[in-house]
Structure formats: C-alpha cells, structure tokens
Amino acid sequence: MSLTQALSTSLTGLNATQTALSVVAGNIANAQTPGYVKKTTVQVETAFGSTGSGVEVTSINRVLDAYIQAQTRTEQSGASYADLSASFYQQIQGIYGTPGSAASLEGAYNNFTSALQALTTSPDDPSAQQGVIGAAQSLTQQLNTMTTGIQSLRSQAELGLSSDVTKANDALQQIASLNQQLNSAGPSDATTAALEDQRDSYIEQLSQLMDIKTVKTGNNQISVFTTSGVQLAGTTAAQLSFNAHGAVSPQSQWSADPSQSTLGTITLTAPNGTTTDLIATGAIHSGEIAAYVQMRDQTLVQAQSQLDQLAAGMASALSDQQTAGTAVSSPPQNGFSIDTAPLLNGNSITINYTDTATSTQHTLTLIRADDPTAQVTNASTADPNDTVAGIDFSGTPASIAAQINAALAGTGMTASMSGSTLQVLDDGAANTVNVDGLSSTTTATALAGGSPQLPFFLDNVQPYSGAITGVGSQSIGLAGRITVNPALAADPGALVAYKAGTAAADDTRPNFILNQLVNASVQFSPSSGIGSATSPYSGPIGNYLQQIVSQQAQAATDATNLQQGQDVVLNSLQQRFNTASGVNIDEEMTNLLNLQNSYAANARVMSTIKDMLTALLQM
Amino acid sequence: MTVSGVGSVSATMLQSILDLRSQLDNLQQQLGTGQKSDTYAGLGLDSGLTVSLNAQLSALSSFSDTANTVNTRISIAGTALDQMASFGSDVQGALTPNTYDPDNNGQTTAQKTALADLGSFLGLLNTQVGNRYIFSGQATDQPPVDSMDHILNGNGTLAGLNQVISERNQADLGSDGLGRLAITAPSSTSVALSETAGAAASPFGLKLTGVNSNLTGATVTGPAGSPPGITVDLGTTNPSAGDNVTYQFALPDGTNDSITLTATTASPAGPNQFTIGATPGDTATNLNAALTASIKTLGQTSLSAASAVAASNNFFDDPPQRVNNTGSPASATALVDGSATTVAWYTGGNTTGSVRSTATAKIDQSTTVSYGTQANEQGIRTVLQNIATAAAVTYSPSDVNGEARSAALNTRLNANLSPPSSVQSIQDIETDLATAQTSIQAATTRQQQTSNTLTDLLQQVSTVPQEQVGAELLAVQTQLQASLETTAMLSKISLINYLPA
C-alpha cells in the first residue's frame, strides 16, 4: 500500500530533520565552548520496497581537520614554552633593575668606583672612607638580593614543574579513561563525538605542558607518546611523579644521579612498572615543563654563575697576592724555591717551564685542594693554556713532594719540600727542560699586612680563596654570601693604613683598589656563558658587568621575539582550525531555516496523505 | 599570549587588539617616565651601550668631583703661598735700610715685624682644607709646624732656636772671643795668627783664607800649616806710615770678611791701626794688640751675625744639627744630630720621593696630577728660617757693637731672602701647583665636552622624545579605536539579527 509507505517515508524525513535540528541546536549552544568541534549529520537514503525510499541519519560526525589539529598541538607546546620562557626572562630583567638607576647592579658598581675615586683624592677623609664602605655594602647587598631573586625564580620553576606534573597526570588519566569509554561505545553518535571532543581537549592541555605525539589506532583509540617515543597513555595511563625539593639554593643542582641531585626530577612509571627519568633521557623538549627545566637547570644557573664570577672577580682582585719564587741552584740543576705556608685552599703555585727540545713554554698550576674528593681539572682555572693539578698541602712535606712530583711526571722537573719551602729544579745536565719561574698566588687575610692587597670582601666570614672541595668551587653562590669584611667596616681607616705607621694621606691602597676594579684585567671562567673555554673573557670587572647585563637583555629580547613569533604561528593555526571546525552561527541559522522548511514539507506530505486517506475512507 | 577564537570573532583580530592595547600601555608608560623602558631588555641592542655609557658618565662625574676637590686644595695652598711670599718681602723691606732702634726687650722695629710675621707664617703653614693639613705631605692629619713659642724658646728639655743660636755663638766665638783663633809671637818681631787646634777641623769660628801686606820689609807667610796660620815677621825694618796688612777670613755662614790694619805714627792708634814703634819689636807688639782688638770686634759683629745665620740653618736642618754639648760649647769641635734634644719645627710627613707626589689625584683615565706640599721644602724653609732668625736675635742697648752686628745680620738675612734662581723659592712651588691646576682645567674642559656628547647619546638610546611618543600614542589610539569599532560592527553582522522574530 503506497500511501502508508509515503507516510512512513515522510516520518523518516521528520525524524531525520529532528535529529539534524538537535545537532544544529547543539552546535549553536556550544558555539562558545572551548574545544567544541562542529558536528554534522550523515544522512543516507533507505529503500522501502520497490517504489519508496526514506532517509536515515546514520551517524553524527565531527568536522575535523586532523592535519591542522596535529600541527596546532605541536605549535601549542612551542608557544607554551616560549610564553613561559619570555615570562621568566622578564622576571629576570626585573632583578637587574631599571637601566641607570642607583638600584641596578651597574648603578651600585658605579657608585662604588666613584666612592673609591673620591677616596684616592682624600684618603685621610673619614667621610670618604665611610663612603667607600657604604657603597661597597650597597653593592654586596645588591648581589645578595639578586641571588635571592634568581634562586626564588628557580624555586618557582621547581614548584611549577611539580604542579605541571600533577596537571599532566590528570590529563593522562582522563585520556586513558576516555579511550576506554570510546572503546566500548558503538559507532559514532552524539555521545561518541562529545567524548572525542573531551579527549581532544585533554590532549591539548597535555600538549601545553610537553611536546607529544598522538597515534590514532583502530576502535577510535588515541595513544599519546612523548616525541622520543615513550608511551604516556593508551587505555591505561603512565604515572608521572616529581620529587620536589622545597629549598632551592645556588648549590642545588639537578643531576642524573639521584644520589647527587638536590633538585626534583620527573619519573615516568609505565603501567608495567618500569620507570624512566624523563629529564635525564631528555624526553621533553618543549611545552611548559621543558621551559621550567631549562630555566631551573640552565638559564638561571648561568645567571647565578655570572653574578658569582663577578663577586669572585672583585674579591680576588683585591685580595690576591702574587709572590715570585727565589732562584736556587744545585749544580748542575737550576730552579726556584717558594714558601707554601701562606697557601689557603684554592690558592695556587704556578710553574713556568720550557721544553728545550721544542722550545715551547708551558704553565703548570698547582692548586691547593686538601679535600680528597675535590675535582681539580684544567677547567678549574680560567686560563685555557695551563695544566692544572690539585695538591693536598695538609700532609707531611714528603707526601706533598710526592704529589707534586706526580704532577711533574714527564716534564723532567723534580720537586722537593724542605719544611714549607717548595723547590722545583730542572733536569740539570740532560737539559731537556728549563724552569723559567715559580710564583704563588695567595689570599691576603690581614688588613694591615704591609701590602696594598686586603680581604675587602669575605665569603660570609671566611676569606674568599676560590677553594675547591667535593661539593664544587667556593665561587658557587658567592654572590649570595659576599659581604664587606666586618673588620674593615668597623675600621674604615684600614682602607688607607696598609701597614703600621701609614701616613694619613697615603693613597697607595686606595689607588690599588681603584685600579684593580677599574683597569686591571681579570680572567673569567667560561661557565658563566661569557667567553669560551679556549678563549675565556678577560677584561676589567666593569666591562664584564656590562657583558652580563647586555647578554641577559639580549636573551630576554630573544625570548620575547620567539614568543611573539610562536604566537603568530599558533594564532593563525587556531584561526584555520576554527574556520574549519568551529561553529559558524550564520551557517547554523541557514541550516535551521532549511530544516524548518524541510520539516514543514515533510509534515505537509503527511497532512496530504492524511487528507487522501480520509478521502479514501469517505468514498 | 595566544587567544582561542570565540564564536565568530577571529582569534587573530582579538590578538591584534590585545597587542595594540599593550602597545598603548607601553607608550603611556614611556610618556610618563620619559624612559624608553624600565628593563635592559626593553632597550634592545642598546642595553650594553647604556651600561657602558652610564659607567663612563659615572667615571666622568667622579673625575669632576676630584677636580673640584683638588682645585679647592690647590687654590687654598696658592693663597697661603702668596701670603708667605709677601711676608718674606715684608720682612725684607723692614730689614732695609738698617734702622737700629732696640727697645727694652732688645728688639728693633724690624725684628718686631719679623716676630709678628713669623706667627702669621706658622699659622699659614698650619692651613687646613677640611681636616687636611695641606703642608704636611702625606701626614695630613698632623699639623706641619710646631708653635712659635716652642720653636723660639724650646719645649721643656728640647732646645728652641734661641738656645741653638746662643750655643753656636759660644762655639763660634770661643771663650776668649777671638773666633777660635790664637794670636802669638813666635819671635820678638813677628805676629802669628792661627786657628786653634780643636777648631781647625770644626765648622766653628773664623777660618783663615788669605793675607795681603805691603808692610815695608815685612815677611808674610801663610795661611799655611796645620792648624793653618799666618805669620807677619817685620824683620829688621819698621813699616812706613800708611803701610797695611789685610787678614781675610771665611765666616761660619759662608760669607767672607777681612781686617785691614794700617801702620800709623799716631799714638794711641785709632781703630784698625797700629802705632809704628821705636823698633820693629815694639811695632810687632802694637800690631799684636791691634789685631787682637779688631778680631774681638769682628767677633761681636760679623762673626756673631754669621754665627746666628749658621745656627738657624742648623736648627732648621733635618735632623737639626747641634753644637756638641758634652763640654762647654766654647770648646766644641763638631756638630751632632740634635733630634733628641731639639724642638722639631717640622712635624709633618717626610717623603723619600718627590714632595709633589705626596698628594696625587687621578683627574682623567690617564692623567694624574701631583700637588703635595711640605712645609720643609727649601722655598718655604728659606723664608721661614730667615724670618725666624731676624725675630730670635736680641740686642742689648748698652752693647756698643749692637748696631754693627745688627747691620751685619740684616745684610745677610736680606741677601738670603733673595736666593739665587738655582735654589727653589716659594714662587717655584706656586708654579708647580699652577701647572697642576692648568692640567686639571684642561682635563675638566675636555671631560665636559665628552660628558655632553655621552649624555646626548644616552638620551638618544634610553629616552624617548615626548613628541614622538605623543604621535605614536595618537596613531595607536586611532588604530585601536578603528579595530574595536570594526569588531563591534562585525559582531552585529549575524543572521540572527536579520531573522524575523
């Protein structure tokens, strides 16, 4: 009976239109919902017997450009990385102060040198002496404050990592559970589409935290991997954990060796129980987490190192005394001798010798390092051309001589100790080596020791001698501990009186201090990122400070530029994504009008059939 | 930051609105502070330049402070030195012409002037700039000279100038007032004048330098022998009237004087004359007496004056030289280091190097000026020493040789106050200081120009011109307004607004 068939057909039309209407309503309702992807209905024709055909909505599809989505996720990680880096760099800039202001590092340093200049003109003026102490204290406080600032930023990064790991775990759990739900869900309907939307939103959250790869597998599953291929989530989620350390100091260092590390690391525990250190394996390259790690372990460590080098440069420039050895002869051998008694840990003895076969000059530096766990390497001095050895001077003269001879092995020179006096001789008649000189660098510890050098700055209450111990160099974190020698602050007259009976207006010491800080060339360790290992930065302390400030400013500018570039890329991708997958109200309105018409038409068919049936029954 | 698209509003559009907004905020801040940025990063490539410019400007400002301080010190030192030189001229003027008018205290008008000037002179030497004694070399915390009372009259057991002059006077005159000479008669017709054994090698007394004679028939020998002596042997013939013999002496202060004795027939003979007796033996006796009297007079006049000058020189020496005082000064044979027994007039610092280098100032990266002064520099010491000598000596109104001694002393002081150009004078010190001041002036002018240039450059890199910011602000404002209006208009263009209700 074809009339009832037509009735059934229009009924399918009404049903399909209703379904489509509810999709349009859903699209309009979710127009502002983040992560919502526009849905469309898929209608197919259904056959009824020989003459009629109906319509059926077989599925509700998401209008998704998978390529743009993947691209957006990648760029999302990059943008989060760039945003966070730029924000950190801006905060670091805040630590360096306003250009030219007295509260900036350069301002404090310039005030210090100005005060010294005034002191050289009026060494006898107590107010000039007090001025130098005051300016020096401002400078050390500035360095202390900046260190606190840098370390609190590191601590912020540590906390940020902790909270990001929590967020990542949450997202991974959600992705895994959504995968499970989608696994058991049937063909794509409104529920499936909504679950997929949610899953995409969690993946997007995760991609802000770290760079990830997604692989779509059968049965509507998405597996999430790190870019290096470690699986993070499938139907089960891996567990990330972060062992946050509360207190962060300049000495805090991340290390791949958990027993050495004093900062947190991210451990991934796979569902099967295997664990991976994601920081040690370098599994995370982008996203907020990578930015936090970069800040905590590289950028801020380097910024701290720059301040430490500056502080160490100032302390050493004023306290280091060079003493030349005395020529000695024990025919046919010739050489030099020097007293090792004044050497503090970190002080050194330099042996210059010539290999006569090749006429090349060599430098051997012996650093006093009494701690047997100290790591003394050629990089322990800024000089790229010397060979460095650590010597424990706390033992007997015989043990010291044995250590030095071990360091001299192969050079042809021999060392002997008599009491505290070290004697280095060439090989005499064989004449394969000549000792050119022997000198020691020691740290002045007395204010009136008879030389212009003085312990102006202290490491808390200890003299700064650059001691190397098992935990590293004394210079690490020095900027946070450097103080003006309290004995000097209590007696500013010692800025002039370098020995008993110094005349009131004797400008020897003030001139020395000013010259060391303004003109003398200091070699800086390349660990601060300025200069390289083969050609370390060498120049006046003021110029180094200038290098630090401009390097930091440049890095901050670069970070901001990267961020802006990344934002442009991400925005345009999102724009394209939105154009393709977002809800366009105009389009939906048009669809609505069409559906309204379609519904009315179908209803009209039904009404007509009803009229026809009525007419038929009334016959 | 990135913005997710909201509905039909484009994400890019939103982003650009936010960017414009932040530009607007930035410009507003620039307009308010006048600074391009409050961070180094905000200065871009110029951040390093800013740091180095600030350092250079700070150094220039320090140099300028130094120049001011040093200029003040040099100007004050210059004024003091001017006055010291004028005290020298003042005393010199008072000493010429010689007016001998001792008062009850034995001081002439010229001496009173010298005494008053000495006080002022010492006061000038103790000039301070701030708390700094500028004539003390490096010992700027110590006054460079002792008080006038101590210098003249001594301090407790330490002898002053008066005592040093008095002891030296005794040592130069000897107990018999003959200037440490002896007059003998080796034969009946001869007169021998010789330095005494103890004094010959000493700096004290008169030294024989020569003799001239036209005495008829006389044999004159010397000065010769040890100790040096001059013998006049009249022989067998009496000299004729008008014949004379001249004895020449060196005095302790390095000046020379002589005594000419003329033969006369008058009896008694006048001063510096001897009567020709009946026999050469009688004449020799008269010559002997005349020589003795003349030398005694010389001792009271020229020798005493020269002795005072020499004593003053000893007192102002470093270390002070004193008559060896183990026995009577009159028989002293040497000068000894008197630092333990004598007032040290100079109490400032001493340097082994150049006096100017006792105060140095770096007025430029590579220029250092030296402007130290010490009260014991030759130029200052000469004037001080001569004024002090003039003030120290006293005259008894009853002393018949007073006037001649005063004239002899005044002549010497007058000459000493005008030292030869080869010896440093106060003007030489002033010239040194003026040279330093000229260097400072030149450096200051140079630095002022550099500072102006650098300040300009710093302004260019770290500040923004108000007009430019204003213009940019307007431009951004217009752009933002346009964007906002367009966005608002676009948001209204939606089918919803055009569907029948």
Side-chain angles (χ1 to χ4, degrees):
Chain A
M1 170 89 191
S2 59
L3 269 184
T4 45
Q5 192 180 342
L7 198 64
S8 300
T9 304
S10 26
L11 187 64
T12 59
L14 282 182
N15 280 338
T17 315
Q18 276 177 21
T19 309
L21 199 62
S22 80
V23 168
V24 167
N27 279 344
I28 293 175
N30 283 302
Q32 311 290 342
T33 308
Y36 181 79
V37 175
K38 185 169 75 175
K39 309 291 186 307
T40 53
T41 50
V42 179
Q43 303 187 49
V44 291
E45 188 185 6
T46 52
F48 283 95
S50 56
T51 53
S53 63
V55 62
E56 193 189 359
V57 173
T58 54
S59 65
I60 295 170
N61 276 2
R62 302 163 75 221
V63 182
L64 188 65
D65 184 332
Y67 174 73
I68 294 180
Q69 191 185 38
Q71 194 74 4
T72 310
R73 280 182 192 146
T74 310
E75 294 303 333
Q76 182 73 58
S77 304
S80 303
Y81 177 90
D83 279 353
L84 193 64
S85 295
S87 135
F88 261 96
Y89 272 114
Q90 285 309 319
Q91 292 189 61
I92 298 174
Q93 280 298 300
I95 293 173
Y96 284 83
T98 309
S101 85
S104 67
L105 183 59
E106 53 150 342
Y109 191 79
N110 289 341
N111 283 345
F112 183 39
T113 52
S114 294
L116 280 168
Q117 166 81 28
L119 182 68
T120 59
T121 316
S122 309
D124 50 351
D125 182 356
S127 68
Q129 297 167 358
Q130 200 55 55
V132 168
I133 299 293
Q137 281 170 336
S138 300
L139 179 59
T140 54
Q141 275 157 17
Q142 180 78 28
L143 285 169
N144 298 161
T145 312
M146 290 177 76
T147 300
T148 312
I150 288 174
Q151 295 311 318
S152 81
L153 283 178
R154 283 183 86 201
S155 164
Q156 211 173 306
E158 179 89 348
L159 291 176
L161 279 173
S162 182
S163 105
D164 273 3
V165 164
T166 311
K167 279 196 240 167
N169 269 331
D170 184 41
L172 288 174
Q173 296 291 346
Q174 295 289 346
I175 293 166
S177 88
L178 286 165
N179 267 339
Q180 280 168 13
Q181 287 179 44
L182 283 163
N183 197 16
S184 52
S188 99
D189 58 7
T191 318
T192 319
L195 290 176
E196 284 174 347
D197 274 1
Q198 277 186 35
R199 189 175 57 188
D200 282 351
S201 140
Y202 284 115
I203 292 174
E204 198 191 357
Q205 278 182 27
L206 191 62
S207 70
Q208 286 181 12
L209 302 177
M210 55 204 286
D211 49 334
I212 47 168
K213 265 195 317 199
T214 56
V215 176
K216 193 154 188 176
T217 55
N219 227 0
N220 215 355
Q221 297 292 296
I222 288 182
S223 297
V224 181
F225 299 89
T226 64
T227 42
S228 51
V230 181
Q231 181 161 11
L232 293 168
T235 48
T236 51
Q239 178 73 31
L240 296 180
S241 63
F242 183 74
N243 53 333
H245 283 62
V248 178
S249 73
Q251 280 78 17
S252 306
Q253 295 284 347
W254 176 87
S255 164
D257 176 357
S259 66
Q260 298 279 317
S261 190
T262 45
L263 287 175
T265 196
I266 302 173
T267 312
L268 176 140
T269 310
N272 64 9
T274 56
T275 60
T276 315
D277 185 335
L278 292 186
I279 297 183
T281 53
I284 302 172
H285 307 107
S286 190
E288 282 188 10
I289 291 180
Y292 279 133
V293 171
Q294 168 73 24
M295 282 295 146
R296 188 193 70 174
D297 296 342
Q298 307 284 331
T299 310
L300 290 166
V301 171
Q302 195 174 74
Q304 180 67 51
S305 169
Q306 290 170 350
L307 296 184
D308 291 344
Q309 290 291 321
L310 183 73
M314 291 197 312
S316 300
L318 301 186
S319 68
D320 275 7
Q321 281 172 304
Q322 309 284 340
T323 312
T326 320
V328 289
S329 177
S330 161
Q333 290 174 294
N334 290 312
F336 290 86
S337 73
I338 198 157
D339 184 14
T340 63
L343 290 182
L344 298 180
N345 264 315
N347 287 158
S348 61
I349 288 180
T350 305
I351 304 170
N352 292 305
Y353 63 96
T354 305
D355 180 347
T356 51
T358 55
S359 285
T360 40
Q361 295 186 325
H362 298 279
T363 304
L364 176 65
T365 307
L366 306 175
I367 295 182
R368 174 166 187 171
D370 290 352
D371 184 343
T373 60
Q375 299 281 323
V376 178
T377 65
N378 284 353
S380 298
T381 61
D383 185 345
N385 301 318
D386 63 343
T387 311
V388 183
I391 306 290
D392 177 359
F393 276 94
S394 62
T396 61
S399 82
I400 299 170
Q403 293 176 63
I404 295 176
N405 276 319
L408 293 176
T411 62
M413 296 183 288
T414 47
S416 60
M417 290 289 291
S418 148
S420 66
T421 304
L422 167 68
Q423 180 169 297
V424 177
L425 294 175
D426 61 18
D427 57 353
N431 198 25
T432 61
V433 66
N434 280 329
V435 185
D436 302 329
L438 188 63
S439 65
S440 70
T441 305
T442 52
T443 304
T445 52
L447 285 176
S451 68
Q453 285 86 356
L454 77 166
F456 194 114
F457 296 108
L458 293 186
D459 179 352
N460 271 338
V461 292
Q462 300 294 322
Y464 175 76
S465 58
I468 301 170
T469 58
V471 294
S473 165
Q474 191 185 0
S475 71
I476 296 174
L478 177 66
R481 304 186 305 266
I482 192 169
T483 56
V484 174
N485 190 341
L488 184 64
D491 173 23
L495 285 170
V496 178
Y498 65 99
K499 60 182 180 197
T502 309
D506 191 325
D507 55 6
T508 310
R509 185 172 261 179
N511 275 333
F512 165 79
I513 299 176
L514 181 65
N515 186 55
Q516 285 298 95
L517 293 178
V518 174
N519 297 325
S521 188
V522 176
Q523 221 166 30
F524 294 93
S525 157
S527 69
S528 61
I530 293 170
S532 65
T534 48
S535 108
Y537 184 81
S538 167
I541 294 173
N543 291 16
Y544 182 70
L545 187 137
Q546 185 188 333
Q547 292 291 328
I548 296 179
V549 173
S550 49
Q551 199 229 29
Q552 289 292 339
Q554 193 54 47
T557 311
D558 290 348
T560 308
N561 289 344
L562 176 68
Q563 177 211 17
Q564 283 168 353
Q566 199 66 36
D567 283 353
V568 169
V569 172
L570 185 61
N571 273 324
S572 69
L573 278 171
Q574 271 177 343
Q575 182 68 29
R576 282 175 62 196
F577 184 77
N578 285 342
T579 312
S581 309
V583 176
N584 184 332
I585 298 282
D586 290 352
E587 189 187 334
E588 299 302 328
M589 282 296 139
T590 316
N591 287 342
L592 194 64
L593 286 178
N594 284 336
L595 289 171
Q596 199 179 356
N597 287 338
S598 167
Y599 193 86
N602 277 312
R604 183 76 192 177
V605 171
M606 287 186 87
S607 152
T608 306
I609 292 170
K610 181 190 164 241
D611 287 349
M612 287 168 74
L613 282 175
T614 309
L616 193 65
L617 290 173
Q618 285 175 350
M619 270 199 307
Chain B
M1 64 170 289
T2 53
V3 181
S4 303
V6 177
S8 59
V9 180
S10 136
T12 319
M13 176 65 108
L14 267 181
Q15 182 69 49
S16 62
I17 290 176
L18 283 175
D19 284 351
L20 281 173
R21 180 77 222 181
S22 95
Q23 272 187 51
L24 198 67
D25 289 346
N26 256 339
L27 286 169
Q28 206 171 6
Q29 193 200 343
Q30 289 184 0
L31 197 64
T33 60
Q35 297 294 314
K36 200 176 267 180
S37 168
D38 61 355
T39 62
Y40 291 97
L43 298 175
L45 287 176
D46 291 329
S47 60
L49 181 61
T50 314
V51 178
S52 98
L53 287 176
N54 276 327
Q56 285 185 58
L57 283 170
S58 162
L60 287 177
S61 145
S62 305
F63 287 137
S64 155
D65 289 348
T66 302
N68 279 339
T69 310
V70 175
N71 253 333
T72 310
R73 288 179 190 159
I74 294 184
S75 300
I76 292 179
T79 313
L81 287 168
D82 271 346
Q83 284 180 319
M84 289 180 207
S86 76
F87 284 135
S89 319
D90 188 29
V91 170
Q92 211 173 4
L95 293 173
T96 359
N98 180 43
T99 315
Y100 184 66
D101 52 357
D103 64 4
N104 290 336
N105 296 322
Q107 291 217 298
T108 64
T109 311
Q111 283 184 296
K112 286 178 205 159
T113 306
L115 194 65
D117 285 356
L118 178 63
S120 308
F121 199 101
L122 293 172
L124 281 175
L125 285 174
N126 283 338
T127 300
Q128 276 180 290
V129 180
N131 285 320
R132 186 182 172 100
Y133 287 102
I134 50 177
F135 291 105
S136 277
Q138 281 197 337
T140 52
D141 54 342
Q142 288 156 23
V145 287
D146 206 339
S147 70
M148 185 167 81
D149 179 45
H150 286 173
I151 288 176
L152 290 179
N153 303 320
N155 180 13
T157 55
L158 302 177
L161 179 60
N162 285 338
Q163 189 183 337
V164 173
I165 290 177
S166 152
E167 285 174 4
R168 176 78 200 232
N169 193 44
Q170 294 175 54
D172 280 327
L173 257 57
S175 52
D176 53 6
L178 285 177
R180 307 296 291 267
L181 297 177
I183 301 171
T184 53
S187 69
S188 60
T189 58
S190 62
V191 176
L193 178 64
S194 66
E195 297 176 19
T196 54
S202 79
F204 305 122
L206 295 168
K207 305 293 170 203
L208 302 177
T209 57
V211 64
N212 282 320
S213 158
N214 60 0
L215 297 177
T216 311
T219 311
V220 176
T221 55
S226 179
I230 295 171
T231 309
V232 176
D233 190 342
L234 296 179
T236 53
T237 326
N238 257 332
S240 316
D243 288 354
N244 60 52
V245 56
T246 301
Y247 291 89
Q248 290 162 340
F249 309 103
L251 276 57
D253 67 341
T255 55
N256 293 305
D257 211 335
S258 61
I259 292 174
T260 301
L261 298 175
T262 310
T264 180
T265 48
S267 183
N272 295 330
Q273 289 181 339
F274 62 95
T275 307
I276 302 167
T279 63
D282 292 345
T283 309
T285 309
N286 291 341
L287 177 62
N288 194 324
L291 185 60
T292 306
S294 289
I295 288 179
K296 281 193 172 167
T297 307
L298 187 71
Q300 289 304 313
T301 54
S302 289
L303 178 58
S304 285
S307 169
V309 170
S312 183
N313 203 25
N314 292 158
F315 178 79
F316 281 94
D317 260 344
D318 180 32
Q321 301 294 309
R322 288 288 298 279
V323 172
N324 188 353
N325 212 4
T326 47
S328 156
S331 53
T333 55
L335 285 167
V336 293
D337 181 342
S339 33
T341 52
T342 316
V343 167
W345 70 277
Y346 178 68
T347 51
N350 265 318
T351 177
T352 48
S354 137
V355 172
R356 294 293 160 268
S357 306
T358 55
T360 59
K362 206 174 160 192
I363 49 151
D364 205 352
Q365 285 302 348
S366 54
T367 318
T368 302
V369 293
S370 307
Y371 62 96
T373 44
Q374 279 179 199
N376 62 353
E377 283 186 72
Q378 189 61 49
I380 298 175
R381 176 188 150 171
T382 304
V383 179
L384 177 64
Q385 182 181 323
N386 285 299
I387 296 180
T389 315
V393 176
T394 51
Y395 302 98
S396 157
S398 61
D399 183 352
V400 289
N401 291 316
E403 186 163 5
R405 189 161 79 244
S406 164
L409 182 62
N410 289 359
T411 310
R412 285 177 165 77
L413 296 180
N414 210 335
N416 290 345
L417 279 169
S418 305
S421 58
S422 59
V423 177
Q424 189 203 43
S425 67
I426 288 185
Q427 282 73 20
D428 293 335
I429 303 176
E430 289 187 286
T431 308
D432 285 354
L433 295 187
T435 311
Q437 215 160 11
T438 311
S439 301
I440 296 174
Q441 197 64 49
T444 307
T445 313
R446 203 165 56 236
Q447 284 163 2
Q448 192 59 50
Q449 286 170 354
T450 315
S451 172
N452 289 344
T453 314
L454 294 182
T455 309
D456 274 358
L457 192 55
L458 185 62
Q459 296 267 331
Q460 281 172 28
V461 297
S462 68
T463 65
V464 279
Q466 300 284 338
E467 322 76 66
Q468 190 190 328
V469 184
E472 282 177 12
L473 203 59
L474 275 178
V476 173
Q477 192 189 4
T478 313
Q479 211 179 339
L480 184 59
Q481 274 171 355
S483 297
L484 288 173
E485 276 174 26
T486 318
T487 310
M489 270 164 59
L490 279 176
S491 74
K492 281 180 198 151
I493 303 177
S494 172
L495 192 55
I496 301 170
N497 297 326
Y498 300 94
L499 286 175

